[in-house]
Amino acid sequence: MRQVIVDTETTGLDASQGHRIIEIGCVELINRRKTDRYYHQYINPQRAVDDGAFEVHGISNEDLADKPVFADIAQSFIDFIRDSEVIIHNAPFDEEFLNEELKRLGNEWGCIRDHCIITDTLVMAREKHPGQKNNLDALCQRYEVDNSQRDLHGALLDAQILLDVYLAMTGGQATLLLEEEQEDQAVIAAFDSAAGNRRQRSLKLIQPTAEELATHRQRLDVIQKESDGNCLWLRMESKE
């Protein structure tokens, strides 16, 4: 199962008013395990960043002046998320911005859901914790996820933090550790079985000589006499 945690930063709050995406961050999960693959891109929005947005993410117009426009990175982004479950916190916000960017490129690009499935962790959090704060910082505190580096918002940093929150909210690492322990035990058992088979194949059966059998019988008779007829070896022989 491939999942991609996605976050964006923008020039402002309203995509319908012409605000644009300026940063995309994506982190990959395979079978609920983080891989070393990620996608990160700053984007020239071809418009000014609002002062209020700058206060949130700290990305200035000067920072973006030499960055590629969305049209130049659209294919690489779509390729990264294609056919995966994309996990976003407050998905309608990012989804609207992504759809507006794709719309500018032409109808052949469709919308973001044409390329992936979207899961909204804000909806999940509200169902699990109704009536409580469920923004990313609140969830970090609730699930003891370290967000000490989050002085300002950043798409890649927030995607990495959301990854930890998502795993904690949907079962955490405990499930993974249990699965890994079970896998390890299965490997150990298989190894022990194979080693046991090898040992059995290497054993050589040596039959006792007539003299050894006679000595053994004499010893059993002594034990039988001294134990008042309670020699266990002889009892087992009689049962056979």
Side-chain angles (χ1 to χ4, degrees):
M1 179 176 63
R2 183 173 186 267
Q3 298 167 300
V4 178
I5 313 295
V6 175
D7 189 63
T8 65
E9 299 298 337
T10 63
T11 62
L13 295 177
D14 194 343
S16 67
Q17 297 298 315
H19 283 290
R20 305 287 298 272
I21 293 175
I22 60 172
E23 185 187 11
I24 299 176
C26 308
V27 184
E28 182 184 64
L29 283 172
I30 299 291
N31 295 330
R32 291 179 57 82
R33 290 176 173 84
K34 181 182 177 182
T35 74
D36 60 358
R37 293 190 68 220
Y38 66 92
Y39 180 89
H40 183 224
Q41 183 65 61
Y42 289 105
I43 301 162
N44 185 336
Q46 300 176 296
R47 61 155 292 157
V49 176
D50 275 8
D51 292 341
F54 174 76
E55 292 297 322
V56 172
H57 50 60
I59 303 171
S60 68
N61 298 310
E62 292 73 22
D63 294 329
L64 302 170
D66 62 345
K67 299 303 185 288
V69 298
F70 188 87
D72 294 334
I73 64 93
Q75 190 62 62
S76 61
F77 168 64
I78 293 298
D79 287 344
F80 192 85
I81 66 168
R82 191 186 308 278
D83 298 330
S84 67
E85 179 188 10
V86 166
I87 298 168
I88 307 175
H89 197 70
N90 191 18
F93 178 87
D94 301 81
E95 187 175 358
E96 182 181 10
F97 273 91
L98 289 167
N99 284 338
E100 287 296 322
E101 296 289 357
L102 293 175
K103 187 186 299 182
R104 292 184 181 97
L105 302 182
N107 293 333
E108 67 273 16
W109 288 85
C111 67
I112 196 69
R113 289 180 184 261
D114 292 328
H115 307 284
C116 63
I117 298 169
I118 293 182
T119 296
D120 189 348
T121 50
L122 180 57
V123 172
M124 296 172 59
R126 285 172 174 168
E127 291 175 351
K128 290 177 69 68
H129 312 289
Q132 301 183 52
K133 287 185 177 180
N134 288 301
N135 59 40
L136 192 54
D137 285 333
L139 291 174
C140 285
Q141 183 175 2
R142 187 172 300 141
Y143 289 104
E144 299 181 347
V145 171
D146 181 15
N147 66 340
S148 57
Q149 300 181 42
R150 198 181 186 233
D151 295 329
L152 292 172
H153 288 230
L156 185 59
L157 174 61
D158 285 0
Q160 292 169 333
I161 291 173
L162 180 57
L163 180 150
D164 292 334
V165 168
Y166 170 76
L167 289 177
M169 191 163 55
T170 58
Q173 295 290 348
T175 301
L176 295 182
L177 293 175
L178 178 60
E179 292 174 354
E180 290 172 354
E181 182 179 348
Q182 290 172 340
E183 291 173 0
D184 291 343
Q185 292 298 326
V187 170
I188 292 171
F191 178 82
D192 287 345
S193 176
N197 290 337
R198 287 195 298 272
R199 287 194 297 270
Q200 288 178 357
R201 288 196 298 269
S202 64
L203 291 177
K204 183 178 180 180
L205 182 62
I206 300 176
Q207 297 293 342
T209 64
E211 183 180 353
E212 289 170 335
L213 288 173
T215 301
H216 177 63
R217 172 58 61 181
Q218 290 174 1
R219 182 60 180 167
L220 292 181
D221 290 341
V222 172
I223 294 173
Q224 178 76 346
K225 181 178 179 181
E226 293 183 355
S227 63
D228 294 328
N230 291 313
C231 177
L232 294 179
W233 280 98
L234 292 178
R235 283 187 183 180
M236 287 187 291
E237 284 183 359
S238 63
K239 289 180 180 179
E240 292 176 355

